[in-house]
Amino acid sequence: QVQLVESGGGLVQAGGSLRLSCVHTGGVFRFDGMGWYRQAPGKQRARVAYITRDGSTNYEDSVKGRFTISRDNAKNTTYLQMDNLKVEDTAVYYCNRLLGPALLPSFSWGQGTQVTVSS
């Protein structure tokens, strides 16, 4: 059974930085990437970044140049470095393993980590 545990969120002023961590364990099959998602109040969960098995990365337009996704395979951990945070980045952030050519999130979501950016 795959487990996803996010951490590193908190309250930060606009312009500040946070580094989120996602420890993902369990399962014996390969997966095709890792993604970070966020869900703001009243909005649907949406992907903000992903990293593929070969290390390629992709970002949602609003976070390009501010967020950086990385991973440590030995630690089964994926990170999201968030710099120059904006009020609109406020959300609960989740990670998931991605499967298939469409890189879809394929496992039960963890509890997420709350990021709150104040003005």
Side-chain angles (χ1 to χ4, degrees), residues 50-117:
Y50 68 80
I51 183 166
T52 65
R53 190 172 181 84
D54 66 2
S56 300
T57 59
N58 183 274
Y59 300 92
E60 191 267 327
D61 285 348
S62 70
V63 308
K64 282 181 181 177
R66 300 189 299 120
F67 289 12
T68 304
I69 188 170
S70 62
R71 66 188 180 197
D72 184 334
N73 290 334
K75 295 182 179 179
N76 279 351
T77 302
T78 301
Y79 304 98
L80 187 68
Q81 177 67 41
M82 306 188 296
D83 298 318
N84 191 21
L85 281 160
K86 302 178 180 181
V87 172
E88 50 264 42
D89 294 319
T90 295
V92 179
Y93 284 71
Y94 303 87
C95 66
N96 212 317
R97 288 182 177 176
L98 309 177
L99 292 180
L103 295 174
L104 298 177
S106 299
F107 301 96
S108 297
W109 297 97
Q111 83 287 352
T113 186
Q114 175 71 49
V115 171
T116 304
V117 185

Side-chain angles (χ1 to χ4, degrees), residues 16-32:
S17 298
L18 285 172
R19 188 194 195 203
L20 307 183
S21 298
C22 165
V23 178
H24 53 101
T25 58
V28 295
F29 43 84
R30 60 169 282 168
F31 51 96
D32 300 296

